[in-house]
Amino acid sequence: MILVQRMLHETSLRPISEQVELLVERRLFLKRRWRGVAADGTEFGFDLDVAS
């Protein structure tokens, strides 16, 4: 699983062909810690310093 702990860039520096869209429900952004699965099947998790 990929764990995201902080944002490095506002937008991806990778070519569009290498980007994966992450679809999440709005309510998840209220949580400090959450996980999901990307369109390509990659599991990821977010561990945020401050809830958005």
Side-chain angles (χ1 to χ4, degrees), residues 2-52:
I2 298 170
L3 178 60
V4 179
Q5 295 179 314
R6 63 189 156 95
M7 181 175 16
L8 297 178
H9 301 282
E10 289 289 325
T11 59
S12 177
L13 301 177
R14 293 187 174 270
I16 295 289
S17 62
E18 293 180 5
Q19 294 181 27
V20 176
E21 187 175 64
L22 305 176
L23 300 175
V24 297
E25 295 179 29
R26 186 179 261 315
R27 68 180 171 82
L28 285 178
F29 290 106
L30 300 174
K31 297 170 118 182
R32 181 179 174 270
R33 200 175 262 179
W34 53 278
R35 63 188 298 178
V37 179
D40 69 351
T42 302
E43 291 186 32
F44 63 91
F46 284 88
D47 189 8
L48 306 174
D49 288 336
V50 179
S52 303

